Amino acid sequence: MKNAASLLIFVCALGAVAIASSFKTVVITNSTFSINVPDHHFLRIYNFTQEGGSTRGVVIAAAATPTATTPTPTPTPSATPTPTGTPTATPTPTATPTPTPTPTPTPPPRAVLTATMIDSTAPPEFIQPVVIDGPARVTVEPVPSAKLVLTYRKFSEPTPTPTPTP
């Protein structure tokens, strides 16, 4: 019975470590923190606090630059010479110009979250988790004489399973 209880505690502790390991916490003091969120992934921010400093820290999300798709060129028919008794000039086919792809405009970077100030004289501020879908680049600039703490988790979108047809 004693071994079963210790085994249960060990399994629960191991499960808690496995679950908690996917959360990441970053302390930002002097250098800019940035993370890329690839396509078909998303980032969930659970906590963003600040201790010290006079201005609040900000999480900035910018959409990743889309890649322009080049249209498939259409083949140009070639001229076939007709045999005649007298030589005639054969027209040289001219190449069709390929249109330049126009990329989709990217929205400007924007603030998605401001830091919660840790102050013992004020009531605590609470934040709701923020979700940023990819492709995106998330950055947090340091605040002079402040310590910023960011807790997040990156997820990949589940692959949809096809529904069987009857």
Side-chain angles (χ1 to χ4, degrees), residues 137-150:
R137 180 160 181 84
V138 178
T139 57
V140 179
E141 295 286 333
V143 175
S145 68
K147 178 169 69 170
L148 303 169
V149 179
L150 178 73

Side-chain angles (χ1 to χ4, degrees), residues 43-73:
L43 181 81
R44 180 171 286 169
I45 299 175
Y46 292 95
N47 189 25
F48 185 44
T49 58
Q50 174 178 340
E51 186 175 358
S54 58
T55 59
R56 289 187 185 235
V58 179
V59 174
I60 307 261
T65 307
T67 56
T69 57
T70 307
T72 311

Side-chain angles (χ1 to χ4, degrees), residues 27-33 140-142:
V27 178
I28 304 157
T29 54
N30 296 326
S31 60
T32 302
F33 170 75
V140 179
E141 295 286 333

